Amino acid sequence: ADFDAKKKRKVAEIYQALNSDPIDVATLRRMAISEGGLLTDEIRCKVWPKLLSVNTDDLPPLPGKELREDNKDYQQVLLDVRRSLRRFPPGMPDDQREGLQEELIDIILHVLKRNPQLHYYQGYHDIVVTFLLVVGDRLATALVEKLSTHHLRDFMDSTMDNTKHILNYLMPIIDQVNPEVHDFMQSAEVGTIFALSWLITWFGHVLSDFRHVVRLYDFFLACHPLMPIYFAAVIVLHREQEVLDCECDMASVHHLLSQIPQDLPYESLISKAGEIFVQFPPSELAKEAAQAERTAASTFKDFELASVQQRPDTVLRQRFRERLRGEERLRGEERTKSILTKPRTNRFVKLAVMGLTVALGAAALAVVKSALEWAPKFELEIFP
């Protein structure tokens, strides 16, 4: 009864935000981040376009079949979509699924044709099918196009340089929160390739329960483009004991981490990812990995819906401060201080030699180097 009452209150608050003039995007972001996310696909159809600033009154016409003629990506898209059977609800009639697969191909080819600067990558269809199943083909086409030119832009370059740059954040995040796990993974030389399919499909490829996938999409759409890499870090941190109990070698740790558990405590992990983002924002971790190229992460301010609407990072910070205030009342200032200043261990030698910034830079370079070295060997494990 209490759950139903909370759900009703949340639904009412979402519709109130949608009916505001102008639409209260800050509240919609808060609803998407907070426990349970946006609750239903019916609500997602209304809220996801607002989070992406897509005008639903001016949707593009459905793409025609002529897209498939002489299209350089058609054969690869066709192969990937044919292999995507498990991304459709179990028990769906074959003819319905086959119809959706045809729509999936058309959406992908439409976005690529309209944006020739974008390059298809294996796993892109895992993101597109999520939007197709939730909002239908026409709205999915508009949402995916906006997403592809903003949040996913780095994955759609002609090279993987920017994707590797984003993976480069994983170890510094882990290092800030749990240096012991970080040092163990560095000793094992595991790299970050185990998280590649998580990142570039927004976990759509690796989670079997569709409810968990759309819950994460609520969260990611409401946040900074780098939030998926923070969530990846939180999964690793959640498995701290398993990691530390593992044989300290690359193959063993990679095998453990690439098998993502299906029973993760998603709500607490989402909350933790938001807290870590606020404590250690990308700007603090990016200096040593800065690139000349403009990435989606660095151009996120350009994408903000309007100056009058609140930035998603601000929503996260407010939520974090509210939680801190509550804990301060309950446990006093010492508890708050411990959350904000995680004690560091076993760092004195490294810090004395090169300083924290340089140390993180060296770790980040090692991560990319090892990811590149192991990538060909683990190609089949990235997309099993």
Side-chain angles (χ1 to χ4, degrees):
D2 183 50
F3 173 78
D4 287 341
K6 283 173 65 177
K7 184 176 177 180
K8 282 182 179 178
R9 283 197 300 272
K10 186 168 193 180
V11 169
E13 195 167 351
I14 290 171
Y15 278 101
Q16 184 178 352
L18 284 168
N19 293 326
S20 298
D21 187 14
I23 290 169
D24 186 353
V25 177
T27 292
L28 295 179
R29 290 194 194 281
R30 186 162 50 84
M31 296 292 101
I33 292 167
S34 63
E35 186 177 357
L38 296 174
L39 301 172
T40 70
D41 286 353
E42 181 184 355
I43 291 175
R44 291 183 177 101
C45 287
K46 295 178 171 64
V47 175
W48 282 4
K50 308 308 178 191
L51 298 179
L52 286 172
S53 192
V54 168
N55 181 3
T56 54
D57 296 326
D58 187 26
L59 296 177
L62 289 174
K65 299 301 179 190
E66 69 279 356
L67 276 173
R68 305 185 182 203
E69 299 170 6
D70 301 322
N71 190 299
K72 65 182 177 65
D73 296 301
Y74 174 59
Q75 289 301 323
Q76 185 59 55
V77 173
L78 181 64
L79 286 171
D80 288 346
V81 169
R82 281 179 175 168
R83 287 197 295 256
S84 65
L85 296 183
R86 68 185 189 86
R87 290 304 318 278
F88 294 89
M92 176 179 281
D94 287 348
D95 58 344
Q96 184 183 355
R97 174 184 49 76
E98 289 166 5
L100 286 169
Q101 286 178 305
E102 293 299 309
E103 292 174 3
L104 179 56
I105 292 170
D106 289 339
I107 293 170
I108 293 171
L109 296 180
H110 176 77
V111 172
L112 294 173
K113 183 173 182 180
R114 280 172 50 90
N115 300 274
Q117 77 279 15
L118 302 179
H119 297 265
Y120 178 76
Y121 65 87
Q122 188 184 10
Y124 180 67
H125 69 288
D126 281 300
I127 287 183
V128 181
V129 73
T130 304
F131 283 88
L132 174 61
L133 291 172
V134 172
V135 304
D137 56 349
R138 196 166 174 213
L139 182 51
T141 302
L143 297 182
V144 167
E145 181 168 10
K146 177 59 74 76
L147 197 71
S148 301
T149 53
H150 291 89
H151 290 65
L152 306 180
R153 179 65 185 85
D154 298 330
F155 309 145
M156 304 190 75
D157 275 345
S158 56
T159 71
M160 284 190 66
D161 289 348
N162 280 341
T163 302
K164 290 180 300 209
H165 176 60
I166 294 172
L167 279 170
N168 207 30
Y169 283 82
L170 182 68
M171 295 299 278
I173 295 168
I174 293 170
D175 191 25
Q176 290 290 345
V177 180
N178 192 324
E180 185 181 6
V181 170
H182 169 271
D183 291 351
F184 181 90
M185 292 174 67
Q186 288 290 83
S187 298
E189 298 183 332
V190 67
T192 58
I193 206 69
F194 66 86
L196 177 61
S197 65
W198 306 358
L199 179 68
I200 65 177
T201 69
W202 277 12
F203 298 84
H205 182 77
V206 293
L207 298 181
S208 57
D209 192 325
F210 192 70
R211 292 173 304 167
H212 298 150
V213 175
V214 294
R215 172 66 188 101
L216 286 181
Y217 278 42
D218 291 342
F219 180 48
F220 296 153
L221 287 170
C223 293
H224 190 283
L226 283 180
M227 190 55 79
I229 200 68
Y230 280 78
F231 193 79
V234 164
I235 291 177
V236 175
L237 293 164
H238 173 70
R239 304 181 72 190
E240 171 188 0
Q241 203 54 53
E242 288 178 85
V243 172
L244 297 178
D245 288 345
C246 193
E247 290 292 323
C248 190
D249 64 76
M250 183 274 298
S252 300
V253 180
H254 175 93
H255 179 73
L256 171 73
L257 291 175
S258 61
Q259 309 298 311
I260 193 167
Q262 297 297 312
D263 59 347
L264 293 167
Y266 292 94
E267 292 300 336
S268 63
L269 294 185
I270 285 169
S271 179
K272 183 66 175 175
E275 290 178 15
I276 293 174
F277 181 94
V278 172
Q279 293 177 67
F280 309 108
S283 58
E284 286 187 16
L285 306 175
K287 292 186 180 73
E288 75 281 359
Q291 290 183 324
E293 295 84 10
R294 286 163 64 82
T295 63
S298 66
T299 60
F300 187 58
K301 289 180 181 177
D302 302 340
F303 169 59
E304 281 307 299
L305 310 184
S307 59
V308 295
Q309 292 167 348
Q310 197 168 9
R311 297 187 64 226
D313 301 2
T314 308
V315 176
L316 281 171
R317 290 191 184 93
Q318 283 180 343
R319 287 176 50 74
F320 184 53
R321 283 198 296 270
E322 287 166 7
R323 177 168 173 175
L324 284 180
R325 282 197 292 270
E327 291 184 351
E328 188 174 334
R329 284 194 297 271
L330 290 172
R331 301 184 181 119
E333 293 182 3
E334 283 304 309
R335 168 60 179 155
T336 305
K337 185 178 179 182
S338 72
I339 292 174
L340 289 170
T341 55
K342 178 77 175 177
R344 310 284 294 177
T345 57
N346 302 323
R347 315 304 282 170
F348 301 105
V349 174
K350 186 187 289 188
L351 295 180
V353 173
M354 58 186 72
L356 179 60
T357 303
V358 180
L360 288 177
L365 288 173
V367 169
V368 168
K369 184 172 180 293
S370 58
L372 287 173
E373 287 170 354
W374 305 130
K377 300 177 187 176
F378 289 103
E379 189 172 5
L380 293 177
E381 264 197 80
I382 295 170
F383 287 97

